[in-house]
Amino acid sequence: MQDNSKLSVLVIDPSPGMRGSFQNMLNLLNISKIEYAVSAGTAVRAVMKKQFDIVLCEYDLGSGQEDGQDGQQLLEDLRHHRLIGMLTIFIMITSEGVYSKVVSAAELTPTDYILKPFTVDMLSGRIARALERRAAFVPTYLQIGQGDLRAAIRSCADASARGTRYAVDFMRLRAELHLNLGEVQQAEELYRAILQSKSIGWAELGLARALAGQERLDEAVEMLNALISSNPRFMAAYDLLAQCHEQAGRNGDAKRVLEEAVAVSPHMVRRLRHLGHVALDSGDVAAAEKSYKQVVARSRYSEFRDPEDHVNLARTLLRKGDQPAAAAVVRDIEKSMRGNPKAEACMAVSSAMIHDAAGEQEAAEAALNAAVEAVRAAPGLSAQLKLGLARSCLAHQLDNQATQVMLDALADPDSGVTVGQATGVFVKAGRPDLADTMGSKMKRQVATLMNVATEKSAMGDLKGAVHTLSEALRMAPGNLPVMLALSKAILRQVDELGWDHPLAELCSQQLSNIRQLDPSHAQLAELTDAFHSAKRRYGISG
């Protein structure tokens, strides 16, 4: 008999009667740690505060809710923002009619479904089945949590080879891990093996993702079109198809696909935001305005509200020539997002655009200077905003400010800005001289970082040394001295502080890169021997 007394459950249902029924049923199953949410928004706030063993979610959360989301969209948001982990059991409650539409149309599937009406025995059976499945995957999930994706892949392969009842699920997870590691050919092989026995939507989508990762875009597009044709509600297929069209330079086709997706499922903010970007890039200002206005409106009560959406809307309105409406957008940021660390930067960037559109050079430059300072202090701003700010600075001959924005972005491991993108900003602006200047400053910063790492290592701050050298590598990818120094620092940390799977993977990547650059380097054999010796010492296989 399963002991349920320690299980914590979140029930998400807008109906008071159903919440009461769930409480009675769960109490009969010896589950008393129960909390409730009445909408997607209240559910998000609940899981931000604590983790639950089980989430029981009604699919139809009600069209009258402020965000308009259904249970599937909520699940996708929770996974996307990493608010629920792999160990959390998510069970969707739905009617038979809805189930037949959604069960084959989701890439991110719940742990299980329960069809209404149901009894306490049915609920008990689903929970028991979900707990059994979780127990089978716990060792693999723990390896993933520790960052040891190689061990997790081996664990999945072993489980599939044993022919367990979850063999296909383990194959799916293994394919996803290969995709995460950029090993798209291995993922392709696994998805094709799954599809040999049965046509499964998520496997077809995974195969298309693997093909796109190999830049076999025409094959991916053909597969995705067929997938959408057979299942018009497979929303993730639309998203990937749009990305493939963008990657191929077909923004018009990408916009068309996203418009079709929004017509089918109008409430997903990330998709609306993507449509706005694509529409603006393709010159369809009206479509961009419509999308960004929907994003701002739908996000107003969301925990994931982002002031950059206001920047995008203001930019679109200025492209349209509507300066008063753009100014109103900036006032809305100030009024409704006071205290948001990103809001000040977004206000300054938007104000600079408005002054620029009005021909107010002095005011625009003052706003750009304020934006540069605000961006330095605000975490989590997108690469798009930072690259755009640098371009605006260059347009106003604020060369030093543009260079500083790009240097700060390259020093931030979470910025998403690459060296190629940063250099491209200057080259496209006709200022290759500034690209050279930035390159010289980066070399000096890298040299300084390497000296700082040496000092930290000498003082015994081994983790600090590795972190500093990782920053140097980000600013100078492919720099042989940096890769050598980082490999040495990682090996010393592993030797003195214990095995660290993500760092070991990083060290392995550096050794491989060094081997490609200089296979006869004097230190390569010694570092490779030290790496394998550390693996043997800690009993790491593979």
PDB file of all heavy atoms in Angstrom, residues 273-310:
ATOM      1  N   ARG A 273       4.880  37.301 -29.153  1.00  0.00           N
ATOM      2  CA  ARG A 273       6.105  38.109 -29.159  1.00  0.00           C
ATOM      3  C   ARG A 273       6.953  37.769 -30.378  1.00  0.00           C
ATOM      4  O   ARG A 273       7.490  38.659 -31.050  1.00  0.00           O
ATOM      5  CB  ARG A 273       6.871  37.864 -27.866  1.00  0.00           C
ATOM      6  CG  ARG A 273       8.082  38.760 -27.669  1.00  0.00           C
ATOM      7  CD  ARG A 273       8.784  38.400 -26.365  1.00  0.00           C
ATOM      8  NE  ARG A 273       7.998  38.782 -25.215  1.00  0.00           N
ATOM      9  CZ  ARG A 273       7.707  37.975 -24.189  1.00  0.00           C
ATOM     10  NH1 ARG A 273       8.123  36.708 -24.211  1.00  0.00           N
ATOM     11  NH2 ARG A 273       7.005  38.407 -23.171  1.00  0.00           N
ATOM     12  N   HIS A 274       7.079  36.488 -30.663  1.00  0.00           N
ATOM     13  CA  HIS A 274       7.853  36.045 -31.831  1.00  0.00           C
ATOM     14  C   HIS A 274       7.223  36.584 -33.116  1.00  0.00           C
ATOM     15  O   HIS A 274       7.928  37.060 -34.010  1.00  0.00           O
ATOM     16  CB  HIS A 274       7.897  34.514 -31.850  1.00  0.00           C
ATOM     17  CG  HIS A 274       8.823  33.948 -32.871  1.00  0.00           C
ATOM     18  ND1 HIS A 274       8.862  32.596 -33.176  1.00  0.00           N
ATOM     19  CD2 HIS A 274       9.741  34.528 -33.695  1.00  0.00           C
ATOM     20  CE1 HIS A 274       9.757  32.390 -34.111  1.00  0.00           C
ATOM     21  NE2 HIS A 274      10.303  33.537 -34.457  1.00  0.00           N
ATOM     22  N   LEU A 275       5.900  36.542 -33.200  1.00  0.00           N
ATOM     23  CA  LEU A 275       5.211  37.073 -34.371  1.00  0.00           C
ATOM     24  C   LEU A 275       5.481  38.562 -34.534  1.00  0.00           C
ATOM     25  O   LEU A 275       5.694  39.047 -35.653  1.00  0.00           O
ATOM     26  CB  LEU A 275       3.706  36.812 -34.253  1.00  0.00           C
ATOM     27  CG  LEU A 275       2.813  37.420 -35.349  1.00  0.00           C
ATOM     28  CD1 LEU A 275       3.270  36.955 -36.736  1.00  0.00           C
ATOM     29  CD2 LEU A 275       1.353  37.050 -35.115  1.00  0.00           C
ATOM     30  N   GLY A 276       5.497  39.290 -33.422  1.00  0.00           N
ATOM     31  CA  GLY A 276       5.797  40.713 -33.495  1.00  0.00           C
ATOM     32  C   GLY A 276       7.181  40.978 -34.058  1.00  0.00           C
ATOM     33  O   GLY A 276       7.370  41.848 -34.926  1.00  0.00           O
ATOM     34  N   HIS A 277       8.177  40.215 -33.595  1.00  0.00           N
ATOM     35  CA  HIS A 277       9.562  40.378 -34.093  1.00  0.00           C
ATOM     36  C   HIS A 277       9.620  40.110 -35.599  1.00  0.00           C
ATOM     37  O   HIS A 277      10.201  40.896 -36.359  1.00  0.00           O
ATOM     38  CB  HIS A 277      10.504  39.401 -33.370  1.00  0.00           C
ATOM     39  CG  HIS A 277      10.702  39.691 -31.918  1.00  0.00           C
ATOM     40  ND1 HIS A 277      10.508  40.933 -31.367  1.00  0.00           N
ATOM     41  CD2 HIS A 277      11.086  38.891 -30.891  1.00  0.00           C
ATOM     42  CE1 HIS A 277      10.763  40.893 -30.056  1.00  0.00           C
ATOM     43  NE2 HIS A 277      11.108  39.657 -29.751  1.00  0.00           N
ATOM     44  N   VAL A 278       9.029  39.006 -36.005  1.00  0.00           N
ATOM     45  CA  VAL A 278       9.104  38.612 -37.410  1.00  0.00           C
ATOM     46  C   VAL A 278       8.357  39.609 -38.291  1.00  0.00           C
ATOM     47  O   VAL A 278       8.821  39.986 -39.373  1.00  0.00           O
ATOM     48  CB  VAL A 278       8.547  37.187 -37.601  1.00  0.00           C
ATOM     49  CG1 VAL A 278       8.430  36.838 -39.077  1.00  0.00           C
ATOM     50  CG2 VAL A 278       9.440  36.166 -36.900  1.00  0.00           C
ATOM     51  N   ALA A 279       7.192  40.040 -37.835  1.00  0.00           N
ATOM     52  CA  ALA A 279       6.400  40.993 -38.617  1.00  0.00           C
ATOM     53  C   ALA A 279       7.147  42.305 -38.792  1.00  0.00           C
ATOM     54  O   ALA A 279       7.178  42.872 -39.896  1.00  0.00           O
ATOM     55  CB  ALA A 279       5.049  41.235 -37.943  1.00  0.00           C
ATOM     56  N   LEU A 280       7.766  42.793 -37.723  1.00  0.00           N
ATOM     57  CA  LEU A 280       8.503  44.062 -37.822  1.00  0.00           C
ATOM     58  C   LEU A 280       9.709  43.923 -38.735  1.00  0.00           C
ATOM     59  O   LEU A 280       9.999  44.804 -39.550  1.00  0.00           O
ATOM     60  CB  LEU A 280       8.932  44.522 -36.427  1.00  0.00           C
ATOM     61  CG  LEU A 280       9.392  45.984 -36.311  1.00  0.00           C
ATOM     62  CD1 LEU A 280       8.284  46.934 -36.742  1.00  0.00           C
ATOM     63  CD2 LEU A 280       9.842  46.292 -34.892  1.00  0.00           C
ATOM     64  N   ASP A 281      10.411  42.798 -38.625  1.00  0.00           N
ATOM     65  CA  ASP A 281      11.573  42.556 -39.489  1.00  0.00           C
ATOM     66  C   ASP A 281      11.179  42.471 -40.961  1.00  0.00           C
ATOM     67  O   ASP A 281      11.958  42.844 -41.840  1.00  0.00           O
ATOM     68  CB  ASP A 281      12.296  41.272 -39.072  1.00  0.00           C
ATOM     69  CG  ASP A 281      13.088  41.443 -37.789  1.00  0.00           C
ATOM     70  OD1 ASP A 281      13.312  42.598 -37.378  1.00  0.00           O
ATOM     71  OD2 ASP A 281      13.460  40.424 -37.180  1.00  0.00           O
ATOM     72  N   SER A 282       9.975  41.963 -41.222  1.00  0.00           N
ATOM     73  CA  SER A 282       9.530  41.814 -42.608  1.00  0.00           C
ATOM     74  C   SER A 282       8.802  43.052 -43.123  1.00  0.00           C
ATOM     75  O   SER A 282       8.324  43.063 -44.257  1.00  0.00           O
ATOM     76  CB  SER A 282       8.644  40.575 -42.756  1.00  0.00           C
ATOM     77  OG  SER A 282       7.479  40.702 -41.952  1.00  0.00           O
ATOM     78  N   GLY A 283       8.698  44.097 -42.276  1.00  0.00           N
ATOM     79  CA  GLY A 283       8.106  45.350 -42.716  1.00  0.00           C
ATOM     80  C   GLY A 283       6.606  45.461 -42.545  1.00  0.00           C
ATOM     81  O   GLY A 283       6.006  46.448 -42.973  1.00  0.00           O
ATOM     82  N   ASP A 284       5.962  44.489 -41.901  1.00  0.00           N
ATOM     83  CA  ASP A 284       4.520  44.543 -41.683  1.00  0.00           C
ATOM     84  C   ASP A 284       4.265  45.213 -40.328  1.00  0.00           C
ATOM     85  O   ASP A 284       4.075  44.548 -39.303  1.00  0.00           O
ATOM     86  CB  ASP A 284       3.920  43.140 -41.728  1.00  0.00           C
ATOM     87  CG  ASP A 284       2.391  43.142 -41.765  1.00  0.00           C
ATOM     88  OD1 ASP A 284       1.804  44.173 -41.409  1.00  0.00           O
ATOM     89  OD2 ASP A 284       1.816  42.116 -42.156  1.00  0.00           O
ATOM     90  N   VAL A 285       4.254  46.541 -40.333  1.00  0.00           N
ATOM     91  CA  VAL A 285       4.147  47.306 -39.089  1.00  0.00           C
ATOM     92  C   VAL A 285       2.792  47.074 -38.426  1.00  0.00           C
ATOM     93  O   VAL A 285       2.705  46.971 -37.192  1.00  0.00           O
ATOM     94  CB  VAL A 285       4.376  48.804 -39.364  1.00  0.00           C
ATOM     95  CG1 VAL A 285       4.176  49.627 -38.087  1.00  0.00           C
ATOM     96  CG2 VAL A 285       5.773  49.033 -39.920  1.00  0.00           C
ATOM     97  N   ALA A 286       1.741  46.982 -39.216  1.00  0.00           N
ATOM     98  CA  ALA A 286       0.406  46.787 -38.647  1.00  0.00           C
ATOM     99  C   ALA A 286       0.321  45.466 -37.880  1.00  0.00           C
ATOM    100  O   ALA A 286      -0.229  45.412 -36.771  1.00  0.00           O
ATOM    101  CB  ALA A 286      -0.640  46.829 -39.752  1.00  0.00           C
ATOM    102  N   ALA A 287       0.860  44.397 -38.473  1.00  0.00           N
ATOM    103  CA  ALA A 287       0.832  43.093 -37.795  1.00  0.00           C
ATOM    104  C   ALA A 287       1.699  43.118 -36.539  1.00  0.00           C
ATOM    105  O   ALA A 287       1.339  42.526 -35.509  1.00  0.00           O
ATOM    106  CB  ALA A 287       1.308  42.003 -38.747  1.00  0.00           C
ATOM    107  N   ALA A 288       2.853  43.801 -36.618  1.00  0.00           N
ATOM    108  CA  ALA A 288       3.728  43.897 -35.454  1.00  0.00           C
ATOM    109  C   ALA A 288       3.044  44.658 -34.325  1.00  0.00           C
ATOM    110  O   ALA A 288       3.094  44.254 -33.158  1.00  0.00           O
ATOM    111  CB  ALA A 288       5.037  44.590 -35.842  1.00  0.00           C
ATOM    112  N   GLU A 289       2.383  45.764 -34.677  1.00  0.00           N
ATOM    113  CA  GLU A 289       1.681  46.554 -33.660  1.00  0.00           C
ATOM    114  C   GLU A 289       0.598  45.715 -32.983  1.00  0.00           C
ATOM    115  O   GLU A 289       0.469  45.710 -31.750  1.00  0.00           O
ATOM    116  CB  GLU A 289       1.057  47.794 -34.293  1.00  0.00           C
ATOM    117  CG  GLU A 289       0.269  48.640 -33.303  1.00  0.00           C
ATOM    118  CD  GLU A 289      -0.460  49.801 -33.971  1.00  0.00           C
ATOM    119  OE1 GLU A 289      -0.351  49.943 -35.204  1.00  0.00           O
ATOM    120  OE2 GLU A 289      -1.154  50.542 -33.250  1.00  0.00           O
ATOM    121  N   LYS A 290      -0.173  45.001 -33.768  1.00  0.00           N
ATOM    122  CA  LYS A 290      -1.241  44.170 -33.219  1.00  0.00           C
ATOM    123  C   LYS A 290      -0.680  43.121 -32.255  1.00  0.00           C
ATOM    124  O   LYS A 290      -1.205  42.928 -31.151  1.00  0.00           O
ATOM    125  CB  LYS A 290      -2.000  43.485 -34.356  1.00  0.00           C
ATOM    126  CG  LYS A 290      -3.116  42.568 -33.892  1.00  0.00           C
ATOM    127  CD  LYS A 290      -3.812  41.898 -35.081  1.00  0.00           C
ATOM    128  CE  LYS A 290      -4.906  40.942 -34.612  1.00  0.00           C
ATOM    129  NZ  LYS A 290      -5.560  40.263 -35.772  1.00  0.00           N
ATOM    130  N   SER A 291       0.408  42.472 -32.657  1.00  0.00           N
ATOM    131  CA  SER A 291       0.996  41.415 -31.821  1.00  0.00           C
ATOM    132  C   SER A 291       1.559  41.974 -30.531  1.00  0.00           C
ATOM    133  O   SER A 291       1.300  41.442 -29.438  1.00  0.00           O
ATOM    134  CB  SER A 291       2.094  40.685 -32.600  1.00  0.00           C
ATOM    135  OG  SER A 291       1.555  39.964 -33.681  1.00  0.00           O
ATOM    136  N   TYR A 292       2.335  43.063 -30.629  1.00  0.00           N
ATOM    137  CA  TYR A 292       2.956  43.621 -29.425  1.00  0.00           C
ATOM    138  C   TYR A 292       1.916  44.187 -28.470  1.00  0.00           C
ATOM    139  O   TYR A 292       2.080  44.109 -27.244  1.00  0.00           O
ATOM    140  CB  TYR A 292       3.986  44.684 -29.795  1.00  0.00           C
ATOM    141  CG  TYR A 292       5.275  44.120 -30.336  1.00  0.00           C
ATOM    142  CD1 TYR A 292       5.871  44.656 -31.483  1.00  0.00           C
ATOM    143  CD2 TYR A 292       5.916  43.066 -29.702  1.00  0.00           C
ATOM    144  CE1 TYR A 292       7.065  44.149 -31.975  1.00  0.00           C
ATOM    145  CE2 TYR A 292       7.103  42.541 -30.192  1.00  0.00           C
ATOM    146  CZ  TYR A 292       7.672  43.090 -31.331  1.00  0.00           C
ATOM    147  OH  TYR A 292       8.848  42.580 -31.817  1.00  0.00           O
ATOM    148  N   LYS A 293       0.833  44.762 -29.004  1.00  0.00           N
ATOM    149  CA  LYS A 293      -0.229  45.246 -28.120  1.00  0.00           C
ATOM    150  C   LYS A 293      -0.869  44.083 -27.373  1.00  0.00           C
ATOM    151  O   LYS A 293      -1.196  44.200 -26.182  1.00  0.00           O
ATOM    152  CB  LYS A 293      -1.285  46.000 -28.930  1.00  0.00           C
ATOM    153  CG  LYS A 293      -0.884  47.432 -29.281  1.00  0.00           C
ATOM    154  CD  LYS A 293      -1.996  48.173 -30.005  1.00  0.00           C
ATOM    155  CE  LYS A 293      -1.630  49.642 -30.216  1.00  0.00           C
ATOM    156  NZ  LYS A 293      -2.690  50.375 -30.961  1.00  0.00           N
ATOM    157  N   GLN A 294      -1.046  42.959 -28.046  1.00  0.00           N
ATOM    158  CA  GLN A 294      -1.598  41.781 -27.379  1.00  0.00           C
ATOM    159  C   GLN A 294      -0.639  41.255 -26.316  1.00  0.00           C
ATOM    160  O   GLN A 294      -1.063  40.843 -25.230  1.00  0.00           O
ATOM    161  CB  GLN A 294      -1.889  40.685 -28.410  1.00  0.00           C
ATOM    162  CG  GLN A 294      -3.080  40.975 -29.297  1.00  0.00           C
ATOM    163  CD  GLN A 294      -3.314  39.868 -30.313  1.00  0.00           C
ATOM    164  OE1 GLN A 294      -2.449  39.553 -31.126  1.00  0.00           O
ATOM    165  NE2 GLN A 294      -4.485  39.271 -30.268  1.00  0.00           N
ATOM    166  N   VAL A 295       0.660  41.272 -26.618  1.00  0.00           N
ATOM    167  CA  VAL A 295       1.654  40.818 -25.642  1.00  0.00           C
ATOM    168  C   VAL A 295       1.589  41.675 -24.387  1.00  0.00           C
ATOM    169  O   VAL A 295       1.550  41.159 -23.255  1.00  0.00           O
ATOM    170  CB  VAL A 295       3.072  40.861 -26.251  1.00  0.00           C
ATOM    171  CG1 VAL A 295       4.124  40.649 -25.169  1.00  0.00           C
ATOM    172  CG2 VAL A 295       3.223  39.816 -27.342  1.00  0.00           C
ATOM    173  N   VAL A 296       1.583  42.993 -24.563  1.00  0.00           N
ATOM    174  CA  VAL A 296       1.548  43.905 -23.417  1.00  0.00           C
ATOM    175  C   VAL A 296       0.263  43.712 -22.627  1.00  0.00           C
ATOM    176  O   VAL A 296       0.284  43.662 -21.385  1.00  0.00           O
ATOM    177  CB  VAL A 296       1.693  45.370 -23.895  1.00  0.00           C
ATOM    178  CG1 VAL A 296       1.390  46.344 -22.756  1.00  0.00           C
ATOM    179  CG2 VAL A 296       3.099  45.612 -24.434  1.00  0.00           C
ATOM    180  N   ALA A 297      -0.863  43.583 -23.324  1.00  0.00           N
ATOM    181  CA  ALA A 297      -2.149  43.417 -22.638  1.00  0.00           C
ATOM    182  C   ALA A 297      -2.220  42.092 -21.891  1.00  0.00           C
ATOM    183  O   ALA A 297      -2.647  42.046 -20.730  1.00  0.00           O
ATOM    184  CB  ALA A 297      -3.286  43.519 -23.655  1.00  0.00           C
ATOM    185  N   ARG A 298      -1.801  41.004 -22.529  1.00  0.00           N
ATOM    186  CA  ARG A 298      -1.917  39.681 -21.906  1.00  0.00           C
ATOM    187  C   ARG A 298      -0.915  39.506 -20.765  1.00  0.00           C
ATOM    188  O   ARG A 298      -1.140  38.694 -19.864  1.00  0.00           O
ATOM    189  CB  ARG A 298      -1.724  38.585 -22.951  1.00  0.00           C
ATOM    190  CG  ARG A 298      -2.831  38.541 -23.991  1.00  0.00           C
ATOM    191  CD  ARG A 298      -2.746  37.292 -24.849  1.00  0.00           C
ATOM    192  NE  ARG A 298      -3.738  37.317 -25.910  1.00  0.00           N
ATOM    193  CZ  ARG A 298      -5.040  37.084 -25.731  1.00  0.00           C
ATOM    194  NH1 ARG A 298      -5.488  36.809 -24.528  1.00  0.00           N
ATOM    195  NH2 ARG A 298      -5.874  37.133 -26.764  1.00  0.00           N
ATOM    196  N   SER A 299       0.188  40.234 -20.803  1.00  0.00           N
ATOM    197  CA  SER A 299       1.212  40.089 -19.767  1.00  0.00           C
ATOM    198  C   SER A 299       0.955  40.982 -18.559  1.00  0.00           C
ATOM    199  O   SER A 299       1.676  40.885 -17.567  1.00  0.00           O
ATOM    200  CB  SER A 299       2.595  40.430 -20.344  1.00  0.00           C
ATOM    201  OG  SER A 299       2.927  39.588 -21.416  1.00  0.00           O
ATOM    202  N   ARG A 300      -0.043  41.846 -18.644  1.00  0.00           N
ATOM    203  CA  ARG A 300      -0.222  42.865 -17.608  1.00  0.00           C
ATOM    204  C   ARG A 300      -0.344  42.263 -16.215  1.00  0.00           C
ATOM    205  O   ARG A 300       0.145  42.837 -15.235  1.00  0.00           O
ATOM    206  CB  ARG A 300      -1.444  43.723 -17.935  1.00  0.00           C
ATOM    207  CG  ARG A 300      -1.631  44.915 -16.980  1.00  0.00           C
ATOM    208  CD  ARG A 300      -2.616  45.917 -17.550  1.00  0.00           C
ATOM    209  NE  ARG A 300      -2.102  46.526 -18.760  1.00  0.00           N
ATOM    210  CZ  ARG A 300      -1.265  47.574 -18.777  1.00  0.00           C
ATOM    211  NH1 ARG A 300      -0.846  48.100 -17.632  1.00  0.00           N
ATOM    212  NH2 ARG A 300      -0.861  48.078 -19.914  1.00  0.00           N
ATOM    213  N   TYR A 301      -0.991  41.123 -16.100  1.00  0.00           N
ATOM    214  CA  TYR A 301      -1.178  40.495 -14.778  1.00  0.00           C
ATOM    215  C   TYR A 301      -0.314  39.243 -14.612  1.00  0.00           C
ATOM    216  O   TYR A 301      -0.541  38.446 -13.706  1.00  0.00           O
ATOM    217  CB  TYR A 301      -2.657  40.145 -14.587  1.00  0.00           C
ATOM    218  CG  TYR A 301      -3.570  41.338 -14.744  1.00  0.00           C
ATOM    219  CD1 TYR A 301      -4.324  41.507 -15.900  1.00  0.00           C
ATOM    220  CD2 TYR A 301      -3.656  42.312 -13.749  1.00  0.00           C
ATOM    221  CE1 TYR A 301      -5.163  42.609 -16.065  1.00  0.00           C
ATOM    222  CE2 TYR A 301      -4.483  43.417 -13.902  1.00  0.00           C
ATOM    223  CZ  TYR A 301      -5.229  43.564 -15.058  1.00  0.00           C
ATOM    224  OH  TYR A 301      -6.042  44.653 -15.208  1.00  0.00           O
ATOM    225  N   SER A 302       0.670  39.089 -15.492  1.00  0.00           N
ATOM    226  CA  SER A 302       1.499  37.886 -15.470  1.00  0.00           C
ATOM    227  C   SER A 302       2.722  38.058 -14.585  1.00  0.00           C
ATOM    228  O   SER A 302       3.284  39.154 -14.477  1.00  0.00           O
ATOM    229  CB  SER A 302       1.951  37.545 -16.903  1.00  0.00           C
ATOM    230  OG  SER A 302       2.925  36.519 -16.886  1.00  0.00           O
ATOM    231  N   GLU A 303       3.137  36.954 -13.969  1.00  0.00           N
ATOM    232  CA  GLU A 303       4.379  36.956 -13.202  1.00  0.00           C
ATOM    233  C   GLU A 303       5.596  37.085 -14.116  1.00  0.00           C
ATOM    234  O   GLU A 303       6.690  37.375 -13.656  1.00  0.00           O
ATOM    235  CB  GLU A 303       4.488  35.661 -12.383  1.00  0.00           C
ATOM    236  CG  GLU A 303       3.401  35.486 -11.339  1.00  0.00           C
ATOM    237  CD  GLU A 303       3.422  36.578 -10.284  1.00  0.00           C
ATOM    238  OE1 GLU A 303       4.523  36.957  -9.838  1.00  0.00           O
ATOM    239  OE2 GLU A 303       2.330  37.071  -9.921  1.00  0.00           O
ATOM    240  N   PHE A 304       5.391  36.863 -15.410  1.00  0.00           N
ATOM    241  CA  PHE A 304       6.506  36.901 -16.355  1.00  0.00           C
ATOM    242  C   PHE A 304       6.516  38.199 -17.165  1.00  0.00           C
ATOM    243  O   PHE A 304       7.105  38.275 -18.223  1.00  0.00           O
ATOM    244  CB  PHE A 304       6.427  35.701 -17.317  1.00  0.00           C
ATOM    245  CG  PHE A 304       6.247  34.391 -16.612  1.00  0.00           C
ATOM    246  CD1 PHE A 304       5.157  33.579 -16.886  1.00  0.00           C
ATOM    247  CD2 PHE A 304       7.155  33.980 -15.655  1.00  0.00           C
ATOM    248  CE1 PHE A 304       4.986  32.373 -16.233  1.00  0.00           C
ATOM    249  CE2 PHE A 304       6.990  32.767 -14.988  1.00  0.00           C
ATOM    250  CZ  PHE A 304       5.906  31.965 -15.272  1.00  0.00           C
ATOM    251  N   ARG A 305       5.855  39.229 -16.663  1.00  0.00           N
ATOM    252  CA  ARG A 305       5.784  40.497 -17.381  1.00  0.00           C
ATOM    253  C   ARG A 305       7.180  41.060 -17.610  1.00  0.00           C
ATOM    254  O   ARG A 305       8.026  41.067 -16.710  1.00  0.00           O
ATOM    255  CB  ARG A 305       4.947  41.488 -16.580  1.00  0.00           C
ATOM    256  CG  ARG A 305       4.537  42.716 -17.378  1.00  0.00           C
ATOM    257  CD  ARG A 305       3.684  43.636 -16.542  1.00  0.00           C
ATOM    258  NE  ARG A 305       3.158  44.715 -17.368  1.00  0.00           N
ATOM    259  CZ  ARG A 305       2.655  45.834 -16.882  1.00  0.00           C
ATOM    260  NH1 ARG A 305       2.609  46.018 -15.574  1.00  0.00           N
ATOM    261  NH2 ARG A 305       2.194  46.769 -17.685  1.00  0.00           N
ATOM    262  N   ASP A 306       7.411  41.553 -18.833  1.00  0.00           N
ATOM    263  CA  ASP A 306       8.743  42.004 -19.228  1.00  0.00           C
ATOM    264  C   ASP A 306       8.642  43.392 -19.846  1.00  0.00           C
ATOM    265  O   ASP A 306       7.966  43.573 -20.869  1.00  0.00           O
ATOM    266  CB  ASP A 306       9.334  41.019 -20.244  1.00  0.00           C
ATOM    267  CG  ASP A 306      10.792  41.304 -20.567  1.00  0.00           C
ATOM    268  OD1 ASP A 306      11.269  42.407 -20.241  1.00  0.00           O
ATOM    269  OD2 ASP A 306      11.449  40.425 -21.141  1.00  0.00           O
ATOM    270  N   PRO A 307       9.315  44.405 -19.274  1.00  0.00           N
ATOM    271  CA  PRO A 307       9.236  45.764 -19.838  1.00  0.00           C
ATOM    272  C   PRO A 307       9.822  45.877 -21.240  1.00  0.00           C
ATOM    273  O   PRO A 307       9.548  46.852 -21.944  1.00  0.00           O
ATOM    274  CB  PRO A 307      10.030  46.618 -18.834  1.00  0.00           C
ATOM    275  CG  PRO A 307      10.882  45.656 -18.076  1.00  0.00           C
ATOM    276  CD  PRO A 307      10.122  44.377 -18.038  1.00  0.00           C
ATOM    277  N   GLU A 308      10.600  44.898 -21.668  1.00  0.00           N
ATOM    278  CA  GLU A 308      11.108  44.941 -23.050  1.00  0.00           C
ATOM    279  C   GLU A 308       9.976  44.839 -24.069  1.00  0.00           C
ATOM    280  O   GLU A 308      10.123  45.286 -25.209  1.00  0.00           O
ATOM    281  CB  GLU A 308      12.138  43.831 -23.279  1.00  0.00           C
ATOM    282  CG  GLU A 308      13.486  44.125 -22.657  1.00  0.00           C
ATOM    283  CD  GLU A 308      14.598  43.262 -23.225  1.00  0.00           C
ATOM    284  OE1 GLU A 308      14.662  43.118 -24.459  1.00  0.00           O
ATOM    285  OE2 GLU A 308      15.378  42.721 -22.421  1.00  0.00           O
ATOM    286  N   ASP A 309       8.846  44.258 -23.670  1.00  0.00           N
ATOM    287  CA  ASP A 309       7.698  44.223 -24.574  1.00  0.00           C
ATOM    288  C   ASP A 309       7.220  45.642 -24.881  1.00  0.00           C
ATOM    289  O   ASP A 309       6.789  45.943 -25.993  1.00  0.00           O
ATOM    290  CB  ASP A 309       6.569  43.401 -23.967  1.00  0.00           C
ATOM    291  CG  ASP A 309       6.911  41.924 -23.867  1.00  0.00           C
ATOM    292  OD1 ASP A 309       7.640  41.423 -24.760  1.00  0.00           O
ATOM    293  OD2 ASP A 309       6.488  41.271 -22.898  1.00  0.00           O
ATOM    294  N   HIS A 310       7.304  46.520 -23.886  1.00  0.00           N
ATOM    295  CA  HIS A 310       6.935  47.918 -24.109  1.00  0.00           C
ATOM    296  C   HIS A 310       7.919  48.596 -25.060  1.00  0.00           C
ATOM    297  O   HIS A 310       7.524  49.417 -25.893  1.00  0.00           O
ATOM    298  CB  HIS A 310       6.895  48.667 -22.769  1.00  0.00           C
ATOM    299  CG  HIS A 310       5.706  48.339 -21.916  1.00  0.00           C
ATOM    300  ND1 HIS A 310       5.509  47.093 -21.371  1.00  0.00           N
ATOM    301  CD2 HIS A 310       4.646  49.104 -21.525  1.00  0.00           C
ATOM    302  CE1 HIS A 310       4.387  47.096 -20.669  1.00  0.00           C
ATOM    303  NE2 HIS A 310       3.840  48.307 -20.746  1.00  0.00           N
TER     304      HIS A 310
END
